[in-house]
Amino acid sequence: MCGIIAYAGSKQCKNILLNGLKRLEYRGYDSAGIGILSINHIPEAKNPVVEIKVVKEAGKIKVLEELLSEVEMHGVCGIGHTRWATHGEPTRINAHPHFDCKQKIAVVHNGIIENYAEIKEELIKKGHVFVSQTDTEVLPHLLEEYLKSKTNINLLMAMQKLLKKIKGSGAIVAISVENPDEIVAGRIASPLIVGTSKEGNFLASDMPAVLEHTRFFTVINDYETVCITRDKVKIYDSNGKPVKRNPFKVNWSIESAEKGGYEDFMLKEIFEQPYGIRETMRGRLLDGELNFKELNLTDEQIKNLNKIQIIACGTSYHAALTGKLVIERWAKIPVEVEISSEYRYRDPIVGEGCLFIAITQSGETIDTLAAIREARRKGAKVIAVTNVVGSTVARESDSVIYTHAGPEVGVCATKTFSAQIVVMYLTGLYIARVKGLIKQENYGRIIEELRIIPDKAQIILNNADRIKKIADETFRYTCFLFLGRIYGFPVALEGALKLKEISYIHAEGYAAGEMKHGPIALTDNKTVVVGVIPQDFVYEKMLSNLQEVKARNARIFTIVSEGDKNTEKYADYIFEIPKTLEELNGILAVIPLQLYAYYIAKNLNRNVDQPRNLAKSVTVE
Ligand code: AGP
């Protein structure tokens, strides 16, 4: 997830681009840059000389701002980008815009090019030289290649050809010295909008970037291309035929537009989960097969694994617990899961054949970092699972598997959690495949179910109002127990953590079978028991556990699989989630619990994005 802005108009564009990037910083902030078409009138030259001036740097937008304050950049047509790294660390070289060989075409991009490695190889063979580690850099080189291969092809046509060549996602915006007053863009599965005004036209990833200039927008759809100049916007369909589309008007404030119209970042991020899940699978789940080389283990090493240790804190720890269940089930390797702060002090045994996985959305959690250092000191090979490219954990690990959930602003982890679970599913499945432990039929079934999980997550989100209603009726309770078994247990823990974190209500997550060993004593008519009970092999056991708490007069709220009417007899509230394979229930069942915590906290007027006493990155012990 990155932020893009482009402007072609009558005003100098440097500050328009810079201010637009500031408004997009919530989409990514590890490096930023702008590129402006600059026309120089040289007295002795016949025609003006056009060049693309680029200023870019690693760090937040204010770093770019300081640089720009010292640089003269004139021009009325330009592009800007704020980056959330996916391929290549956040450095100046990897920052956008990227150039072709002759620096005549510049491109900014938001998305992931799945087949960039093969395209890069083809281009290198044709003599192209690359300077960055990014997937994006293949784009200006491809455009250059298309333009030089035929005389009657323009930048727009080259962009149309490019969209057919690349696999993955992208909002791609390009400028060229050949046409200094136009900007060309194309879109596949990443947001791209056009803003229109009397003083010029804009392209952007999101409305806040240009709301101070216009309130009139047009959405560009998948595989469409668009060309903007100072006074024209031309949109084309995937066959290159012109499309007529009238702009619509929005009345949002800039602040609410940053949150995509949602009241809080947390709610926006909960709703972004279908996107985060899909992006995290992108390029790794291809045409019914798993491409998961990032594990960075040879088949031989995988076959020799005798133990996996996973360490993490908080929500990431709950993703680790889900990882244990699927890895043990599919890949038949014992998995130890441990809280990072405990691991570092207990003299853990690592040994030959032990794989160590550290999960951390921020990549900066000090306890996780210390555990990684301890494991490496003992000779373990460390794989990090993180959402932040170039974070300390990413740098200090042997290899990294990135979740591609996009930046998470709310302190409460939501979309990064579902993305971490995706990585756990892929890890378990990949190891099982290499070890030859999974039948083709079962493998195919899991892959197909994973492919449609984002749509199922969307179905849950479409019913968020139902959860809101349950929250409205239960927010005054002061004791909540979240119960689950096997795949439902980490979900129960996560549901309880979400609730306590943002509502400040006491909540506990328990393995339902453990109730009789103590916690059931808490249960009375002042308790809400949330039962995570989708269809699986412990379903009947969960039913009995819920009956036990009902007999103690608790209020019962069940999360069940679609069409399940069995809990109607004793549940006060029921929420149905789409059916899936039992191993995958967790990623769906957690979404209603995130929403439940959110709506309860809103009823209590809590600051859900910045709950008291908490920070997004816990960098102290
Ligand atoms: C989750 O909502 C919390 N903010 C917290 O438990 C968090 O998951 C924990 O601090 C771990 O953070 P990390 O994933 O960045 O390492």
Side-chain angles (χ1 to χ4, degrees):
M1 202 154 131
C2 303
I4 286 175
I5 177 165
Y7 171 71
S10 55
K11 293 180 169 176
Q12 287 297 314
C13 67
K14 180 169 122 177
N15 285 334
I16 292 177
L17 298 177
L18 181 66
N19 290 336
L21 290 182
K22 284 186 194 164
R23 297 285 182 205
L24 290 175
E25 204 161 15
Y26 67 92
R27 297 182 63 87
Y29 41 75
D30 57 41
S31 51
I34 65 171
I36 293 179
L37 280 157
S38 154
I39 305 176
N40 305 307
H41 296 275
I42 300 167
E44 58 277 17
K46 209 168 114 204
N47 295 317
V49 175
V50 185
E51 61 174 339
I52 301 174
K53 280 199 173 168
V54 164
V55 174
K56 57 185 190 176
E57 194 47 274
K60 297 205 169 201
I61 311 282
K62 67 175 185 322
V63 178
L64 180 73
E65 186 172 20
E66 277 162 25
L67 274 179
L68 287 174
S69 67
E70 292 160 12
V71 182
E72 290 241 352
M73 278 176 110
H74 297 291
V76 291
C77 192
I79 55 181
H81 186 268
T82 175
R83 182 167 183 247
W84 179 256
T86 59
H87 293 66
E89 298 208 341
T91 58
R92 191 181 68 75
I93 298 273
N94 288 335
H96 301 210
H98 287 282
F99 275 125
D100 66 327
C101 290
K102 294 185 181 149
Q103 307 211 335
K104 290 189 180 298
I105 300 167
V107 167
V108 291
H109 164 231
N110 165 32
I112 297 173
I113 313 291
E114 290 169 9
N115 56 341
Y116 85 99
E118 66 196 57
I119 296 176
K120 195 167 175 175
E121 227 176 278
E122 282 170 28
L123 290 166
I124 287 172
K125 279 187 195 142
K126 290 181 176 159
H128 291 256
V129 177
F130 290 85
V131 294
S132 80
Q133 304 160 299
T134 64
D135 52 343
T136 301
E137 201 186 358
V138 301
L139 302 173
H141 287 266
L142 256 187
L143 292 172
E144 177 185 30
E145 194 59 31
Y146 293 153
L147 286 168
K148 80 176 177 207
S149 62
K150 280 188 183 168
T151 45
N152 56 349
I153 177 167
N154 60 25
L155 188 63
L156 178 77
M157 291 150 95
M159 180 67 78
Q160 286 163 349
K161 199 166 166 188
L162 179 144
L163 289 195
K164 294 201 167 97
K165 171 86 175 170
I166 59 167
K167 284 188 190 151
S169 60
I172 303 156
V173 182
I175 48 175
S176 157
V177 295
E178 298 301 330
N179 302 84
D181 57 353
E182 75 173 30
I183 303 175
V184 160
R187 170 199 155 140
I188 309 175
S190 292
L192 183 65
I193 51 162
V194 179
T196 39
S197 83
K198 286 198 182 99
E199 285 155 337
N201 294 309
F202 301 83
L203 290 163
S205 303
D206 210 349
M207 292 173 199
V210 293
L211 265 183
E212 63 185 288
H213 307 287
T214 182
R215 303 217 153 239
F216 291 92
F217 293 98
T218 311
V219 173
I220 302 300
N221 296 326
D222 279 352
Y223 293 96
E224 286 181 346
T225 45
V226 54
C227 176
I228 64 164
T229 58
R230 174 182 171 166
D231 46 19
K232 280 199 188 79
V233 173
K234 289 184 178 169
I235 303 171
Y236 302 86
D237 69 12
S238 56
N239 297 315
K241 294 218 171 72
V243 173
K244 193 162 168 35
R245 192 169 299 145
N246 290 327
F248 57 89
K249 189 177 178 200
V250 296
N251 294 315
W252 287 350
S253 68
I254 290 176
E255 205 214 0
S256 75
E258 275 176 2
K259 293 175 186 160
Y262 292 98
E263 230 175 285
D264 308 274
F265 279 108
M266 180 182 170
L267 190 61
K268 173 173 176 270
E269 286 157 5
I270 291 173
F271 273 80
E272 280 171 348
Q273 287 180 107
Y275 165 87
I277 296 170
R278 205 172 269 126
E279 285 302 297
T280 302
M281 290 193 285
R282 192 177 289 291
R284 294 166 176 161
L285 218 160
L286 274 178
D287 307 325
E289 268 300 334
L290 262 184
N291 171 6
F292 208 39
K293 293 278 180 265
E294 295 141 289
L295 259 189
N296 212 12
L297 295 172
T298 62
D299 287 3
E300 202 50 34
Q301 284 171 317
I302 288 180
K303 284 176 189 158
N304 287 331
L305 288 177
N306 53 34
K307 180 168 81 173
I308 296 178
Q309 290 182 334
I310 315 182
I311 56 109
C313 303
T315 291
S316 299
Y317 172 73
H318 301 151
L321 290 175
T322 301
K324 172 184 169 71
L325 292 168
V326 290
I327 296 170
E328 289 187 343
R329 171 104 176 233
W330 292 332
K332 311 286 180 229
I333 299 178
V335 181
E336 293 170 0
V337 174
E338 198 162 341
I339 292 165
S340 312
S341 53
E342 292 288 304
Y343 184 91
R344 62 188 291 195
Y345 292 117
R346 77 162 168 90
D347 197 14
I349 298 160
V350 179
E352 272 287 291
C354 173
L355 173 67
F356 183 94
I357 303 177
I359 308 180
T360 162
Q361 56 80 24
S362 64
E364 301 295 344
T365 303
I366 195 73
D367 287 320
T368 301
L369 199 55
I372 289 172
R373 289 173 184 158
E374 173 68 1
R376 289 189 91 189
R377 199 178 60 80
K378 294 194 158 174
K381 186 175 160 62
V382 174
I383 297 180
V385 177
T386 182
N387 200 42
V388 183
V389 175
S391 53
T392 314
V393 163
R395 281 185 274 117
E396 292 205 15
S397 300
D398 296 288
S399 52
V400 191
I401 301 167
Y402 288 111
T403 49
H404 295 308
E408 195 172 61
V409 179
V411 163
C412 207
T414 52
K415 63 176 180 172
T416 51
F417 178 63
S418 45
Q420 288 168 345
I421 293 185
V422 168
V423 171
M424 291 294 99
Y425 291 155
L426 299 184
T427 305
L429 202 54
Y430 186 76
I431 296 177
R433 180 72 161 169
V434 171
K435 288 180 75 187
L437 290 174
I438 195 152
K439 290 204 182 100
Q440 179 59 37
E441 190 194 330
N442 197 19
Y443 178 75
R445 233 159 31 102
I446 298 169
I447 295 236
E448 178 49 21
E449 265 304 309
L450 281 173
R451 196 183 63 76
I452 56 178
I453 278 284
D455 303 330
K456 294 188 174 176
Q458 188 59 54
I459 292 171
I460 295 172
L461 294 167
N462 294 346
N463 290 313
D465 276 358
R466 165 105 192 92
I467 297 285
K468 182 177 182 308
K469 201 159 171 285
I470 300 169
D472 292 347
E473 287 177 28
T474 50
F475 75 94
R476 288 203 171 82
Y477 282 79
T478 52
C479 178
F480 285 72
L481 287 172
F482 288 74
L483 305 183
R485 298 184 81 129
I486 312 296
Y487 302 112
F489 175 46
V491 178
L493 291 176
E494 180 60 6
L497 178 63
K498 291 299 88 155
L499 187 64
K500 60 185 130 189
E501 200 176 2
I502 53 167
S503 69
Y504 320 145
I505 297 174
H506 184 80
E508 293 288 346
Y510 261 98
E514 189 66 9
M515 284 298 282
K516 286 198 253 334
H517 304 285
I520 202 162
L522 284 173
T523 316
D524 58 17
N525 62 0
K526 295 186 190 68
T527 312
V528 175
V529 172
V530 182
V532 182
I533 176 174
Q535 288 296 330
D536 61 16
F537 69 98
V538 285
Y539 175 81
E540 300 292 337
K541 308 264 172 215
M542 265 302 292
L543 270 183
S544 314
N545 295 137
L546 289 178
Q547 272 156 351
E548 286 155 15
V549 284
K550 185 66 197 175
R552 271 86 187 166
N553 299 320
R555 224 76 190 128
I556 310 271
F557 168 22
T558 55
I559 308 291
V560 301
S561 297
E562 193 181 352
D564 179 355
K565 305 292 172 215
N566 284 335
T567 65
E568 269 179 5
K569 287 182 241 71
Y570 38 88
D572 302 281
Y573 311 101
I574 299 172
F575 186 84
E576 294 186 10
I577 57 171
K579 283 185 186 154
T580 182
L581 301 176
E582 59 184 12
E583 298 95 320
L584 311 186
N585 272 329
I587 199 167
L588 295 180
V590 76
I591 299 173
L593 299 190
Q594 295 166 340
L595 287 165
Y596 188 48
Y598 171 83
Y599 289 122
I600 286 184
K602 290 302 282 185
N603 268 305
L604 296 168
N605 280 326
R606 307 296 192 224
N607 180 343
V608 292
D609 284 340
Q610 289 172 330
R612 70 183 182 198
N613 309 336
L614 297 176
K616 189 71 187 156
S617 302
V618 184
T619 52
V620 289
E621 206 185 332

